[in-house]
Amino acid sequence: MVGVFIPLAFLLVALSNARITIPVTQKSLPKPLPEYNVNGASGAFLRADDEQTATNYHYLNLTILNGRNLAYFGQMYVGEKNTPFLVLLDTGSNNIWLPTTDCKECPGKTIYVCNESSTCSMTNQTIIMPYGIGSVQGPIGFENIGLTLDFKVNSTIVWVTSGRDLQNYKDLDGFVGLGNMEKARDFIDLAFDAGYIQEKVFSFYLDHNYRNDTYSNGSYLSIGYIPEDKVNKVTWVQVTNPYRWATAVKGMKVGNIEVNLTQDASNTKEVLFDSGWSLLLLSDYVIAELYNQLVASAAEFVMFMDMAPAYRCDYGYPEKYPNISISVDGMDIILTAYNYLMFSQVVQQDGKNYCMLGFMRANVGIQILGDSFLKTNFVTFSKRNQTMGIYQEFPPIILPPAPQPKPTPEPTPTPTPKPENYQYFMIIGGVVFVVVLGLVLMKNKKGARKLEKALDQDSASDYYNAAI
């Protein structure tokens, strides 16, 4: 049982016609940090008595592009000319890669010429990096990069010279890895070392834009701090893998049914929080139980494309479908129908909306919660003590109404045809006929009276005259 996977690249078509300008602000914290709410993690969080002051605690708050609730995009400036690149901000990888003039397969409009910048360099070491819908390869090099014009660090970059299956990326120029590999010096580490931020922590918030046919600027990436309106709401869970933002799975439920994961331990022992992945990657056993409960609840569906079901998703219907619960260290993570139904992939039939299922089988040894999860949750990633803070909002959902059938137009009355010329002649001829007939009848009536008078007088001559 496999859900339909609509690649992220398919969702980037709208970026092909316009460049995006990302506004950025840099601020100083006006007051000392508040106490942090630590539930799942042990010990104090982000406590450094010699650093957390009102004068030297700095952070970045970037408005980023929400791509139909399924991807995050930000602007990055590279080299001496501050060349802007539209990049995907990816917590599932650790590398930064950008296209060069040699990459004929790279669809992005912006490319980089290393020899035009005195701060750019390349090595002879070439690597290949696979991704969910393709791969890139090229030499490793170094260049100054920044998410703002005055926030730049010298970073390791893979200069892409060739790629595979990248044609649908459209204007997406590259990736910025924000993963959790301890031995890798990623952008967060470099920003900390350079003094741009005082804590190695960043937070994603994807605005609840349920018009899935649009892109919006209501999302943000906070680097170096946790927004004050969220800091006391998050629950902390311990990161259990030194190579990725993942935590251990202790149990799972679909609705009220506990799913037996003992036979599927290789695929369900961890769950990864990945902003570079669009959908959900779930255990076979969880998917099977979800299908069972959808069938048992008589959920209305249609078969579409490769015989995968699309479920009714008009007003009131998603609330009837079961939740998926993932028990991890410190909390239960809840996935609702608004996380596993793809409102950007709607099938319309008989005036009803049906949504594709937004998950795949976990066949890579780990479960993944992508942007379809992050769209209803606030997640903080802390490299200081290897924790993640999660706040589940469950905001009210505004769905498009079911398409209404077009009203049947009332039949237009057939106009009486105007008489042609011959019809006028017929009418006039009829009138003349009636007049002549009337005159004849009147004459006959007068003759009949003369005949009657002659018979009364019994006069042959009068009879003859009356007859004629």
Side-chain angles (χ1 to χ4, degrees), residues 333-388:
I333 299 171
I334 306 299
L335 307 177
T336 71
Y338 297 102
N339 299 121
Y340 61 75
L341 290 177
M342 293 186 64
F343 295 97
S344 59
Q345 298 293 320
V346 178
V347 181
Q348 295 184 346
Q349 182 170 305
D350 298 329
K352 302 174 183 178
N353 286 328
Y354 297 88
C355 289
M356 310 301 293
L357 294 172
F359 54 72
M360 296 177 62
R361 297 171 53 211
N363 55 6
V364 295
I366 191 171
Q367 296 187 95
I368 297 178
L369 302 183
D371 296 326
S372 58
F373 165 78
L374 294 172
K375 73 180 181 183
T376 56
N377 300 275
F378 172 84
V379 181
T380 290
F381 302 86
S382 170
K383 299 195 74 172
R384 169 180 284 272
N385 59 1
Q386 295 295 291
T387 56
M388 293 181 293

Side-chain angles (χ1 to χ4, degrees), residues 101-139:
T101 54
D102 295 327
C103 184
K104 307 304 181 184
E105 302 85 6
C106 296
K109 295 182 179 179
T110 307
I111 56 177
Y112 198 71
V113 183
C114 185
N115 58 18
E116 293 184 355
S117 173
S118 63
T119 55
C120 181
S121 63
M122 289 189 183
T123 68
N124 294 324
Q125 182 181 357
T126 299
I127 64 172
I128 300 176
M129 295 182 296
Y131 286 87
I133 55 176
S135 64
V136 295
Q137 68 177 21

Side-chain angles (χ1 to χ4, degrees), residues 365-429:
I366 191 171
Q367 296 187 95
I368 297 178
L369 302 183
D371 296 326
S372 58
F373 165 78
L374 294 172
K375 73 180 181 183
T376 56
N377 300 275
F378 172 84
V379 181
T380 290
F381 302 86
S382 170
K383 299 195 74 172
R384 169 180 284 272
N385 59 1
Q386 295 295 291
T387 56
M388 293 181 293
I390 302 171
Y391 168 49
Q392 298 204 254
E393 285 190 297
F394 303 114
I397 309 299
I398 302 175
L399 300 178
Q404 299 298 319
K406 294 182 179 180
T408 303
E410 296 182 0
T412 304
T414 304
T416 303
K418 296 181 180 180
E420 302 292 341
N421 293 336
Y422 70 88
Q423 292 176 315
Y424 287 114
F425 290 125
M426 291 179 64
I427 295 173
I428 295 172

Side-chain angles (χ1 to χ4, degrees), residues 26 33 46-52 56-60 145 147 151-155 178 184-202 223-225 381-385:
Q26 183 172 352
L33 292 175
L46 294 177
R47 296 298 294 171
D49 295 334
D50 59 339
E51 294 176 347
Q52 294 184 15
N56 67 1
Y57 189 87
H58 299 286
Y59 66 87
L60 290 176
I145 63 170
L147 293 175
F151 179 98
K152 298 181 72 173
V153 295
N154 190 262
S155 177
L178 298 172
R185 305 292 297 168
D186 63 15
F187 187 82
I188 301 300
D189 294 303
L190 296 173
F192 176 80
D193 294 342
Y196 288 113
I197 59 175
Q198 212 65 40
E199 295 294 347
K200 292 194 287 187
V201 58
F202 62 96
I223 300 178
Y225 86 118
F381 302 86
S382 170
K383 299 195 74 172
R384 169 180 284 272
N385 59 1

